[in-house]
Amino acid sequence: MKQQFSTRFGAIAAAVGSAVGLGNIWRFPYEAGVNGGAAFMFIYVLFICVLGIPVIVAEFVIGRSSRSDVYGAFRRKGASPMWSVTGYISLLSAVLILSFYSVVAGWTAHYIVQSIHAFAGPDDLHSAFTSFTGSWQAVAWTLLILAANWFVLRRGVQKGIEKAANLLMPLLFVLLIVFCIRSLTLPGASQGLRFLFHPDMSKVTPSVIVSAMGQAFFSLSIGLGCLITYSSYFSPRERLLRSAITIGALDTLVALLAGVIIFPAVFSYGQSPAAGPTLVFETLPAIFADMPGGFIWSALFFLLLLTASLSSTISMGEIPISYLIGQWGMSRSRATAITIATCMCLGSLCSLSFGPLAHIKVCSLTLFNLFDFLSSNILLPLGGIFISLYAGHILDRTTLAAQLSTRPVTLTVLRLTLRYICPLLISLVFINGLT
Ligand code: PHE
């Protein structure tokens, strides 16, 4: 008997938990900071609407109509066996992303402890960050994060994934609101808000557009069958279109709230918004160090980041696990052990690529950057193209109509979007990612 989420809240919390993660709180602010703030933000929101929500719907329909894992979902009667390639792409991206993502999640866990122990002085933050990320201690944190995933995933859909999501998601939203209030009451907060919401359209270049599209993709967890896997556990009563819109809206809301938290603080303390990937790990600790009670804020902030990343890593792990259970007939505990052990090996290599293995390069990329590049810039867009084409061309209108129970016009627009607009738009990101 196929497992199912027990409540609608649990199902949505799990899917939102997958979408909301480091992508919203770590990656969105730095991408927005580097790409000109408000202009980037508006284009990002546009992509969520025209590209993101249709692909979420496609994944939902594929998952719930097949009630299968990412491999089985593409083996519909009459579909060419070539489509199962999509399943393999999904599995590979899930393992690669889980491996390098756990490294960053491990950093956030270390920073919680560090906040309480007291941080390095503002001038030493950079060297503290680089020496930590290259150390064996960072490997230990990566392994600990993966062990936490093992602990949740081996318990299954209702007792593991759903229970964790029910706990993590409310905590995340409470922390977000506390931080918004804190940030908005800082002196000079309005300058940060202007940066985020007042667009300067002269900053829009092709590369800004492409980055915004890539960010929308990563942030919604689309293109690797995460939502196919989760929706195969949805109840038949779940309203797919409404759920897709809820997920898109909440994910965008969290990214915007992260911007509202970070930019006022950055401007209020005279820092640069364009620090890049180290914005959260170097710039923010410098700000916290200056605040009264800063260590508490700092510990809470990294707790927020850890909370968000755990519900995402859980969703990545479930992709290979449900495949091993469904296609290889393994028990859940064995499938979980194999998945987590594989990611522990790859994750350790990724972590070490900041230190002892920094000299190992493939196409001039370290292992961490290679995994990130391969998955985000190549495999996710490829998966996204196949998923929209499959939902638009292979699934017939009757299946879509039965799954979505919506008006015929909406169905037609959605089908056209999946057939033509999504594959074309995603191809654009793909080609740019390659160059
Ligand atoms: N969407 C997650 C985030 O924003 C990352 C993710 C990507 C999760 C792919 C699952 C699958 O952090």
Side-chain angles (χ1 to χ4, degrees), residues 28 173 176-177 180 196 252-262:
F28 172 75
F173 276 89
L176 274 171
I177 289 166
C180 273
L196 187 64
T252 311
L253 178 73
V254 174
L256 295 185
L257 288 181
V260 168
I261 291 168
I262 290 171

Side-chain angles (χ1 to χ4, degrees), residues 61-301:
V61 172
I62 296 175
R64 196 176 62 182
S65 64
S66 66
R67 291 232 165 264
S68 187
D69 52 88
V70 287
Y71 178 84
F74 293 96
R75 311 243 32 199
R76 191 187 166 83
K77 237 197 261 141
S80 146
M82 285 295 285
W83 285 104
S84 41
V85 173
T86 317
Y88 292 122
I89 294 180
S90 299
L91 289 168
L92 183 61
S93 1
V95 170
L96 292 181
I97 299 185
L98 181 54
S99 304
F100 80 80
Y101 199 96
S102 302
V103 174
V104 185
W107 298 347
T108 68
H110 166 80
Y111 269 65
I112 298 176
V113 179
Q114 233 13 49
S115 307
I116 298 163
H117 267 270
F119 265 125
D123 299 334
D124 303 326
L125 281 167
H126 176 69
S127 57
F129 179 68
T130 29
S131 74
F132 163 68
T133 52
S135 67
W136 283 94
Q137 205 188 349
V139 178
W141 281 112
T142 307
L143 297 180
L144 206 68
I145 294 288
L146 285 163
N149 277 279
W150 168 77
F151 181 77
V152 173
L153 285 164
R154 62 190 257 280
R155 290 166 184 255
V157 176
Q158 286 186 7
K159 291 205 195 100
I161 300 174
E162 188 172 349
K163 229 171 159 184
N166 284 340
L167 183 84
L168 292 174
M169 281 301 102
L171 175 66
L172 178 90
F173 276 89
V174 170
L175 285 173
L176 274 171
I177 289 166
V178 171
F179 268 98
C180 273
I181 297 172
R182 172 68 200 142
S183 200
L184 289 175
T185 49
L186 286 172
S190 58
Q191 219 187 329
L193 292 182
R194 200 166 318 120
F195 179 75
L196 187 64
F197 291 112
H198 208 279
D200 171 1
M201 283 308 178
S202 67
K203 298 232 169 89
V204 179
T205 60
S207 107
V208 169
I209 297 181
V210 169
S211 306
M213 194 146 52
Q215 174 60 22
F217 230 81
F218 185 83
S219 181
L220 289 174
S221 319
I222 49 184
L224 77 167
C226 214
L227 300 177
I228 295 181
T229 307
Y230 271 10
S231 59
S232 73
Y233 306 140
F234 279 1
S235 112
R237 285 189 311 278
E238 191 71 53
R239 306 266 299 270
L240 296 184
L241 204 55
R242 194 172 66 177
S243 309
I245 295 173
T246 309
I247 292 163
L250 285 178
D251 187 65
T252 311
L253 178 73
V254 174
L256 295 185
L257 288 181
V260 168
I261 291 168
I262 290 171
F263 292 119
V266 166
F267 280 93
S268 176
Y269 282 86
Q271 300 273 348
S272 157
T278 58
L279 185 67
V280 159
F281 292 102
E282 292 180 17
T283 311
L284 281 190
I287 293 172
F288 290 133
D290 257 8
M291 274 182 189
F295 74 98
I296 298 180
W297 291 111
S298 175
L300 278 179
F301 179 80

